[in-house]
Amino acid sequence: MSRGQPKAKTDLACLILAAGKGTRMYSGRAKMLHQLLGMPLVSYPVERALELHASPIVAVLGFQRAEVEKVLIARHGQGTVTVVEQTEQKGTGHAVRLGLAALRGWEGTVLILYGDVPLLSRETLTALVKKSRQGGTLAILTAELARPHGYGRVIRDSRGHVAGVVEDKDASEDQRRITEVNAGIYAAPAAFLRQATARLSPRNAQGELYLTDIIAKAASSIGVVSVTVSTEEMAGVNDRQQLVSVEKILCRRIVEQLGKHATFRDPETALVEAGVAIDEDVEIGRNVVLRGRTRIGAGVRVDDGCILTDTEVGAGANLLPYTVATQSCIGPGAKVGPFAHLRPGTELGPEVHVGNFVETKKSRLGRGSKANHLTYLGDTIIGERVNVGAGTITCNYNGYEKRQTIIEDGAFIGSDTQLVAPVRVGKRAVVAAGATITEDIRDGALAITRAPLTQVDGYADRVAARYTNKATSKP
Ligand code: UD1
Ligand code: CA
């Protein structure tokens, strides 16, 4: 992230106010770091700014600045967002003044966003910027709220023009009854913002520099226009209830969009992140979670309770209930679950079957291979048409390092086998049930490590007789 003078690339710049601690989150972490549908809160306005091609994008950070900055770099790349530090939260006006210092010498329109208002649409913000540009005015976003308590109220003159905004704590009884509120999102010429924020005073109920004081200033100079926004879009995140209700709204929007060509059996219970892609004719069951860069091919069925993270599912695959897959690749026509756990680095080829209580990690299974029951496959390369019997375990860890198991095409691994890695089972080799394989098995060979079986005839009766006689001979 650049800390010097950002380069102007367009005539739209964006200031993101995000210095607040978020006291009502009752959290050890800055509010901006809390995750909202797989993305930190602070990234939402950054994404909006990027969509509008705003540059520079300046974030005013305070509480846990270093951590928030790190997250911004990880998410959006070095240099995308210029960070300005506000060590003491002296108000929105003060924050903007600091942000503007990072735009020294820059002329154009400045869009002001909040770090904690994630639902604003691109359309709304485009309209706001357009309004400001049309007349070189200050454009403000306002909303009608049935319960306006806590928000700044929009004061209009007799002709209906915006005359100013008065904060809830400074408002008179009459002003408090106004239901049109200030959403706190603005677009204005940089020159006006510089001038207007240079002369703010903290003489108000909160002793802060109110950014809202610039509205009356604009009304008597460059003019103010308003753009209305729905209550839903302007929703801010101040506490954990609001965090989850905003997350629900974001999720609902995504599911509605994907639900046009995929069937969500119970859309209310699906959790789908923004980066997920789903092809046609996919069926999604109840309580399904799809995260990260998950991709689902045509005709796939994802049954109830599946949780997929950064996982690719090939066309026509069938994921039975409660399959959990992370950073995995599931081939076309594969059948997985119920209760399968595919850990990072799993690659299932076409038509592979992985059944219940099977765990895989960094393992590849070739076309048509099967591991249907109670198995652990770690650091394993399996060829085509291999059958892995119930209870097979790859012993891939010796306490110090992970080692590889290779099972070649057409091999048959009997039930309850331990494959002690590093080890290779050759093509079409047969491992008899209950084996502990500690050396490579040759192509087509039978491997058997069974202890000799002994049978003692009449044993049960002899033992029973001993105990029964004792019991009856006792007084
Ligand atoms: C502000 C508006 C109010 C509007 C409301 C909408 C002012 C004075 N009031 O009120 O009219 O109805 O937003 O939500 O602007 N921030 C900083 N540094 C500061 C103070 C705030 O970065 O010194 C950031 C916060 O992290 C937050 C945003 O600015 O993201 C808004 O601050 P907040 O305290 O929520 O503003 P309100 O007092 O609610
Ligand atoms: Ca707020």
Side-chain angles (χ1 to χ4, degrees):
M1 207 128 307
S2 63
R3 301 193 122 255
Q5 209 64 261
K7 285 219 176 60
K9 291 174 202 136
T10 63
D11 61 351
L12 181 67
C14 182
L15 289 187
I16 299 171
L17 309 190
K21 177 177 191 285
T23 315
R24 279 181 283 161
M25 295 297 281
Y26 298 102
S27 173
R29 268 183 316 144
K31 176 163 78 177
M32 296 304 151
L33 296 173
H34 282 253
Q35 295 275 313
L36 189 59
L37 213 58
M39 192 158 86
L41 191 53
V42 69
S43 284
Y44 282 84
V46 173
E47 295 229 317
R48 277 294 105 88
L50 289 170
E51 281 171 6
L52 298 179
H53 308 291
S55 177
I57 300 171
V58 179
V60 181
L61 304 181
F63 189 66
Q64 295 182 346
R65 190 220 88 226
E67 288 84 345
V68 180
E69 187 168 356
K70 215 182 282 167
V71 161
L72 285 172
I73 293 172
R75 188 94 213 171
H76 308 285
Q78 186 87 33
T80 306
V81 180
T82 302
V83 168
V84 169
E85 186 166 8
Q86 187 192 28
T87 43
E88 230 185 305
Q89 273 82 76
K90 295 184 193 163
T92 47
H94 181 246
V96 167
R97 196 190 271 173
L98 291 177
L100 287 169
L103 294 177
R104 196 166 296 127
W106 186 88
E107 296 305 330
T109 307
V110 180
L111 173 65
I112 299 173
L113 301 177
Y114 287 174
D116 57 2
V117 178
L119 292 175
L120 290 168
S121 70
R122 187 202 304 213
E123 293 68 33
T124 298
L125 296 179
T126 305
L128 190 73
V129 169
K130 203 171 147 198
K131 278 261 171 132
S132 166
R133 278 187 179 146
Q134 271 168 358
T137 54
L138 168 67
I140 74 168
L141 215 51
T142 74
E144 277 295 332
L145 291 193
R147 284 180 298 164
H149 174 81
Y151 288 95
R153 308 299 205 285
V154 178
I155 311 294
R156 290 188 183 262
D157 65 18
S158 51
R159 289 169 306 158
H161 294 156
V162 175
V165 163
V166 57
E167 289 307 292
D168 189 67
K169 289 193 174 110
D170 300 276
S172 66
E173 280 300 307
D174 279 353
Q175 289 170 329
R176 284 211 176 100
R177 276 193 283 275
I178 297 172
T179 51
E180 188 187 9
V181 305
N182 169 32
I185 309 298
Y186 318 86
F192 166 76
L193 288 175
R194 268 186 209 111
Q195 225 181 65
T197 54
R199 294 179 279 123
L200 293 173
S201 130
R203 261 173 276 120
N204 53 54
Q206 302 183 76
E208 289 181 358
L209 298 182
Y210 286 168
L211 181 59
T212 41
D213 287 352
I214 70 169
I215 296 160
K217 290 180 204 273
S220 61
S221 56
I222 61 166
V224 185
V225 285
S226 66
V227 170
T228 48
V229 69
S230 68
T231 321
E232 180 177 294
E233 261 194 64
M234 72 164 282
V237 173
N238 296 302
D239 58 34
R240 289 167 197 264
Q241 276 80 39
Q242 288 171 346
L243 182 80
V244 293
S245 72
V246 160
E247 183 167 65
K248 279 221 165 72
I249 293 166
L250 280 167
C251 183
R252 190 192 69 209
R253 287 181 184 173
I254 293 166
V255 171
E256 263 169 21
Q257 189 56 34
L258 295 171
K260 287 178 183 161
H261 62 272
T263 303
F264 282 82
R265 287 288 164 201
D266 191 1
E268 289 285 300
T269 66
L271 191 144
V272 184
E273 291 182 2
V276 171
I278 299 182
D279 286 349
E280 289 81 44
D281 297 321
V282 168
E283 282 241 5
I284 310 279
R286 295 152 187 83
N287 293 304
V288 166
V289 177
L290 305 174
R291 292 191 189 278
R293 310 239 118 237
T294 293
R295 299 264 171 282
I296 300 189
V300 167
R301 205 186 137 88
V302 182
D303 229 314
D304 298 354
C306 289
I307 302 175
L308 309 182
T309 307
D310 299 322
T311 288
E312 202 171 307
V313 186
N318 194 358
L319 307 192
L320 295 166
Y322 308 104
T323 292
V324 176
T326 305
Q327 290 165 33
S328 292
C329 195
I330 298 169
K335 192 173 161 190
V336 182
F339 300 103
H341 186 190
L342 311 184
R343 291 169 49 204
T346 296
E347 282 176 52
L348 308 184
E351 314 293 334
V352 162
H353 288 188
V354 167
N356 40 201
F357 310 113
V358 173
E359 174 184 346
T360 60
K361 187 222 71 178
K362 266 195 198 159
S363 288
R364 200 159 77 211
L365 279 78
R367 176 185 289 274
S369 286
K370 294 176 182 166
N372 271 328
H373 334 266
L374 300 154
T375 284
Y376 173 60
L377 299 171
D379 305 285
T380 306
I381 298 173
I382 294 179
E384 302 189 351
R385 300 174 319 280
V386 167
N387 188 82
V388 177
T392 296
I393 305 286
T394 55
C395 310
N396 62 326
Y397 186 51
N398 63 1
Y400 299 94
E401 57 171 355
K402 303 289 164 62
R403 294 149 143 213
Q404 192 158 66
T405 299
I406 296 170
I407 306 174
E408 296 190 358
D409 295 350
F412 181 96
I413 311 296
S415 297
D416 192 28
T417 292
Q418 301 98 56
L419 297 151
V420 183
V423 73
R424 171 190 296 264
V425 177
K427 286 197 174 79
R428 297 181 56 240
V430 175
V431 173
T436 301
I437 302 299
T438 52
E439 64 183 56
D440 290 356
I441 308 302
R442 294 181 290 279
D443 291 354
L446 168 71
I448 184 160
T449 66
R450 222 162 267 173
L453 182 143
T454 310
Q455 298 197 41
V456 180
D457 287 322
Y459 176 81
D461 283 346
R462 279 211 311 277
V463 175
R466 206 151 70 214
Y467 286 97
T468 330
N469 291 344
K470 254 190 195 161
T472 48
S473 66
K474 270 198 171 164

